[in-house]
Amino acid sequence: AQVRWDLPSHLIDRAVRAHTPAPGAWTRLGEVRIKVGPVSIADDALLPDGSDPKSLAAGAISAGKRAVFVGTASGAVRLGEVQPPGKKALPAADWARGARLTGEERFA
């Protein structure tokens, strides 16, 4: 099932959990389809730049050394694992380092 980042974080958490491991939850980064999961609600955490998770726009990605957050309609979720096409699943922070994210990317 495709993740709808415009929904509140608790609904995204439930939808990803319901579709993991099969058929899987996925999103798009540009034209690339990426499998994600599990996610956890990150309302009490600070983003890597020290800002409030509620300030992150829906679908916007905030990647740090240890965690990757994605904005939702009501806050942010922390990505657990990411699986790019044709590759094995890996921790989200490792994926973000390898993807060389600039901070301008958004999941669709």
Side-chain angles (χ1 to χ4, degrees):
Q2 183 169 6
V3 177
R4 290 193 42 212
W5 301 109
D6 60 336
L7 295 174
S9 58
H10 70 282
L11 293 180
I12 292 171
D13 174 50
R14 290 176 189 159
V16 170
R17 198 170 335 135
H19 293 96
T20 301
W26 57 274
T27 188
R28 290 201 177 274
L29 183 59
E31 295 298 315
V32 180
R33 182 175 156 164
I34 298 173
K35 191 171 178 181
V36 295
V39 301
S40 57
I41 298 171
D43 291 342
D44 58 347
L46 289 178
L47 298 179
D49 63 3
S51 62
D52 183 352
K54 294 185 187 333
S55 67
L56 199 57
I61 304 167
S62 178
K65 290 183 179 182
R66 295 193 175 130
V68 176
F69 299 91
V70 181
T72 71
S74 68
V77 293
R78 180 190 316 252
L79 291 182
E81 290 185 337
V82 176
Q83 184 175 0
K87 308 242 174 150
K88 289 185 177 184
L90 63 157
D94 294 344
W95 165 79
R97 272 192 298 281
R100 295 183 173 90
L101 301 177
T102 64
E104 301 298 316
E105 294 86 3
R106 294 175 71 101
F107 285 133

